[in-house]
């Protein structure tokens, strides 16, 4: 006969105390880093619990009704509503964002696990002037950011353009938006929020972070004191005369900046930011980048980044057994079309008649040789440093209000550069900043 055993009361008490100390120590560590655990005593605890519950149901619905069909016009205006106790969650354009997640190699299961785990979200305290709230999943892979209704409507109205841009340029630096939602609570309050990939992932060894707009007014942030671990996102004036040292991949970055900012200009958008962070490369990371085996793996990933549901929603991916992948033409970090008459080109290679056309497509799409990392689209390795680079906050339109703000700032700050300028000037200025601060 089995005998039940009961832990001594003192042991249970000590165990509970030890657990509380561990969690308390973790909370203090997060606070030092500028991240705050959203526990039961936090003002956003109830809201984030609702977000998790709603997102779990929404993502499960996508899992249960997975489709590989091409996107239709109706998918871009789809609205799904799930009713929960005390709140409802609306999901906008669910098939579109599911397609984008698949194309990025993010499975619905891992997306659900990250967003809906029993671990608490983290609140990120931003020095942004916007009134948005920022939440980070516990594994720091995805950001959730509140937006106002006008910004959400602008995003949904231009979702086709956004997807078309990512289809044409799969290695774009634009932030990857993975979901748009509205939560309505019983008290009749409603909050819109987006889910997006974190540009700074994984962030365990990042030594500095910057938010760059290419101007000088209000572009200084007091750094954290020496020896202090608080995360501070610095700005243009903090970057000063430093350089982003990329060597061969510099030309790729300059071209992609022009492509992405020109797209935002076409949408009449301004005031977006270039997020930038860096960390030193370790010796084994430098050696891996030089190995032939690593080159083949990275080449296959660069032309077909999706690891789930086939090629996902972004076209241009090719089968991994395509002969063209075994002899990539790479120049300045980019895939290049083989020159006419080259014996490695498709024109004179009977076993791969489409390889020349493939290389031309890769060149036209400005694809580069991606690193073999989880967040490869936002990571660029230089000789000594790894850089995390992405363009965020792409919802501000050059409205009449912004035009008036431009003239007011011009009178207030004569001879100085500030954020609010025309979309054409904004895009030109930010590209010039990257040109001046890279080598």
């Amino acid at each position: 006969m089995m005998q039940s055993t009961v832990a001594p009361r003192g042991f249970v008490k000590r165990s509970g105390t030890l657990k509380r100390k561990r969690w308390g120590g973790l909370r203090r560590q997060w606070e030092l880093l500028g991240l705050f655990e959203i526990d039961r005593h936090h003002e956003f605890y109830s809201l984030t619990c609702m977000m998790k519950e709603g997102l779990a149901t929404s993502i499960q619905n996508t899992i249960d009704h997975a489709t590989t069909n091409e996107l239709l016009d109706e998918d871009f205006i789809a609205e799904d509503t799930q009713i929960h106790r005390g709140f409802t969650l609306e999901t906008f354009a669910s098939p579109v964002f599911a397609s984008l997640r698949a194309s990025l190699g993010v499975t619905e299961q891992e997306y659900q696990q990250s967003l809906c785990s029993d671990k608490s979200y983290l609140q990120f305290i931003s020095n942004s002037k916007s009134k948005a709230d920022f939440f980070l999943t516990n594994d720091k892979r995805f950001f959730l950011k509140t937006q106002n209704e006008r910004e959400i409507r602008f995003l949904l109205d231009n979702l086709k353009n956004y997807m078309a841009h990512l289809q044409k340029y799969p290695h774009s630096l634009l932030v990857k938006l993975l979901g748009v939602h509205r939560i309505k609570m019983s008290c009749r309050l409603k909050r819109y929020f987006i889910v997006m990939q974190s540009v700074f992932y994984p962030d365990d060894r990042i030594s500095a972070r910057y938010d760059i707009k290419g101007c000088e007014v209000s572009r200084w942030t007091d750094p954290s004191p020496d020896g202090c671990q608080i995360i501070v996102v610095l700005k243009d004036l903090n970057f000063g005369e430093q350089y982003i040292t990329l060597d061969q991949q510099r030309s790729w970055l300059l071209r992609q900046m022009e492509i992405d900012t020109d797209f935002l200009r076409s949408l009449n958008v301004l005031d977006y930011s270039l997020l930038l962070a860096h960390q030193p490369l370790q010796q084994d990371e430098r050696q891996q980048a030089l190995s032939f085996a690593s080159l083949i793996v990275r080449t296959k990933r660069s032309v077909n980044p999706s690891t789930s549901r086939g090629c996902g929603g972004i076209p241009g991916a090719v089968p991994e057994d395509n002969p063209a992948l075994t002899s990539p033409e790479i120049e300045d970090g980019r895939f290049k079309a083989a020159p006419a008459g080259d014996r490695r080109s498709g024109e004179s290679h009977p076993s791969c008649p489409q390889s020349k056309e493939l290389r031309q497509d890769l060149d036209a799409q400005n694809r580069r040789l991606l690193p073999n990392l989880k967040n490869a689209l936002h990571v660029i390795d230089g000789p000594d440093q790894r850089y995390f680079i992405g363009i965020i906050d792409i919802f501000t339109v050059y409205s009449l209000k912004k035009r008036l703000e431009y003239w007011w700032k011009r009178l207030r700050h004569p001879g100085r550069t500030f954020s609010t300028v025309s979309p054409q000037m904004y895009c030109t200025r930010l590209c010039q900043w990257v040109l001046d601060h890279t080598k």
Side-chain angles (χ1 to χ4, degrees):
M1 183 174 66
M2 294 181 63
Q3 294 182 348
S4 62
T5 59
V6 179
R9 185 175 300 175
F11 174 80
V12 174
K13 185 176 181 180
R14 288 194 300 272
S15 177
T17 302
L18 183 60
K19 185 176 181 180
R20 284 194 297 273
K21 284 184 176 179
R22 283 200 297 265
W23 277 107
L26 189 55
R27 279 199 299 271
R28 286 191 293 273
Q29 180 181 355
W30 280 333
E31 289 172 3
L32 286 174
L33 297 176
L35 298 172
F36 296 84
E37 181 197 18
I38 302 177
D39 59 14
R40 293 181 179 273
H41 306 290
H42 196 286
E43 62 175 318
F44 289 128
Y45 180 73
S46 177
L47 173 62
T48 54
C49 285
M50 293 179 187
M51 284 180 168
K52 283 186 182 183
E53 182 181 342
L55 287 169
T57 303
S58 176
I59 300 169
Q60 188 62 46
N61 185 57
T62 302
I63 294 173
D64 295 339
H65 301 89
T67 177
T68 56
N69 297 333
E70 291 187 7
L71 293 175
L72 304 175
D73 288 346
E74 60 195 50
D75 294 325
F76 287 86
I77 59 174
E79 294 186 17
D80 301 320
T81 302
Q82 290 91 31
I83 301 176
H84 300 264
R85 184 177 180 181
F87 73 97
T88 61
L89 184 84
E90 295 173 87
T91 301
F92 300 95
S94 177
V96 178
F97 290 108
S99 176
L100 178 55
R101 294 193 294 269
S103 73
L104 298 172
V106 178
T107 69
E108 294 303 294
Q109 288 77 12
E110 65 180 315
Y111 186 63
Q112 185 182 56
Q113 174 60 32
S114 180
L115 286 171
C116 310
S117 74
D118 56 0
K119 295 181 180 179
S120 298
Y121 283 170
L122 308 176
Q123 182 188 15
F124 176 70
I125 306 300
S126 170
N127 55 10
S128 170
K129 293 182 179 179
S130 72
K131 297 180 180 179
D133 296 310
F134 296 82
F135 308 126
L136 195 59
T137 55
N138 201 273
D139 59 7
K140 302 181 183 179
R141 186 173 182 181
F142 302 110
F143 258 107
L144 298 92
K145 180 185 177 185
T146 61
Q147 306 275 171
N148 62 44
E149 184 174 0
R150 176 186 54 78
E151 292 168 332
I152 293 297
R153 290 302 169 194
F154 172 78
L155 167 60
L156 294 176
D157 289 344
N158 288 281
L159 186 55
K160 278 188 178 181
N161 295 326
Y162 173 77
M163 289 293 291
H165 182 76
L166 296 186
Q167 289 172 343
K168 190 173 182 180
Y169 302 104
H171 292 181
S172 169
L173 293 170
L174 295 183
V175 62
K176 306 307 180 291
L177 305 171
L178 305 181
V180 177
H181 307 272
R182 176 173 61 191
I183 188 168
K184 291 182 178 180
M185 290 155 275
S186 56
C187 55
R188 296 186 179 181
L189 292 176
K190 63 182 180 181
R191 304 285 295 272
Y192 290 89
F193 67 94
I194 61 173
V195 183
M196 54 188 172
Q197 276 189 325
S198 173
V199 173
F200 299 154
Y201 175 81
D203 71 341
D204 51 315
R205 291 193 293 114
I206 289 178
S207 52
R209 299 165 176 80
Y210 297 89
D211 178 302
I212 302 297
K213 291 183 181 290
C215 57
E216 56 183 333
V217 173
S218 300
R219 302 307 297 165
W220 169 267
T221 294
D222 291 333
S224 56
D226 291 341
C228 181
Q229 298 183 32
I230 294 178
I231 292 177
V232 175
V233 179
L234 305 172
K235 298 182 180 180
D236 302 61
L237 296 180
N238 298 97
F239 195 85
E241 300 301 320
Q242 299 180 70
Y243 284 95
I244 304 168
T245 304
L246 296 176
D247 287 353
Q248 291 187 351
Q249 297 209 64
R250 178 176 184 260
S251 62
W252 176 88
L253 176 61
L254 295 177
R255 184 183 177 200
Q256 194 59 50
M257 280 295 301
E258 291 178 354
I259 290 169
D260 288 333
T261 57
D262 189 62
F263 167 69
L264 296 176
R265 179 203 56 76
S266 71
L267 298 182
N268 206 33
V269 166
L270 71 158
D271 213 25
Y272 42 90
S273 295
L274 180 70
L275 276 190
L276 170 65
H278 59 81
Q279 67 183 39
L281 282 176
Q282 297 179 342
Q283 188 61 37
D284 60 333
E285 292 172 327
R286 300 180 190 182
Q287 292 173 347
Q288 184 181 16
L290 298 175
S291 71
F292 181 74
S294 174
L295 175 64
I296 296 301
V297 171
R298 291 171 62 190
T299 301
K300 289 183 177 181
R301 179 167 188 168
S302 300
V303 298
N304 189 7
S306 175
T307 57
S308 64
R309 290 175 58 183
C311 295
I314 294 182
V318 298
E320 290 193 356
D321 58 354
N322 191 298
L325 302 186
T326 61
S327 57
E329 293 284 336
I330 301 171
E331 179 181 310
D332 293 336
R334 293 180 295 186
F335 290 94
K336 302 293 289 185
D342 192 309
R343 62 187 178 90
R344 290 173 295 179
S345 70
E347 187 174 78
S348 56
H349 196 310
S351 65
C352 51
Q354 296 180 334
S355 63
K356 181 179 179 181
E357 182 180 349
L358 168 63
R359 296 171 201 273
Q360 290 174 333
D361 288 342
L362 296 178
D363 183 26
Q365 292 176 331
N366 198 40
R367 297 213 193 199
R368 64 186 171 96
L369 188 63
L370 295 172
N372 190 23
L373 299 169
K374 292 182 179 179
N375 192 26
L377 292 176
H378 291 292
V379 175
I380 308 176
D381 284 352
D384 303 306
Q385 296 279 336
R386 171 165 293 160
Y387 297 94
F388 297 78
I389 302 177
I391 298 174
I392 64 166
D393 296 339
I394 57 176
F395 306 108
T396 303
V397 177
Y398 194 47
S399 59
L400 176 60
K401 179 181 177 181
K402 284 294 179 181
R403 293 172 190 270
L404 295 175
E405 185 179 329
Y406 163 74
W407 288 106
W408 179 77
K409 286 186 176 180
R410 186 173 178 181
L411 292 172
R412 187 180 180 187
H413 307 289
R416 302 184 68 193
T417 56
F418 44 82
S419 178
T420 309
V421 293
S422 70
Q424 178 61 60
M425 185 180 298
Y426 197 95
C427 113
T428 301
R429 190 175 64 190
L430 189 58
C431 287
Q432 185 64 46
W433 188 94
V434 175
L435 178 65
D436 293 340
H437 291 85
T438 54
K439 63 180 181 179

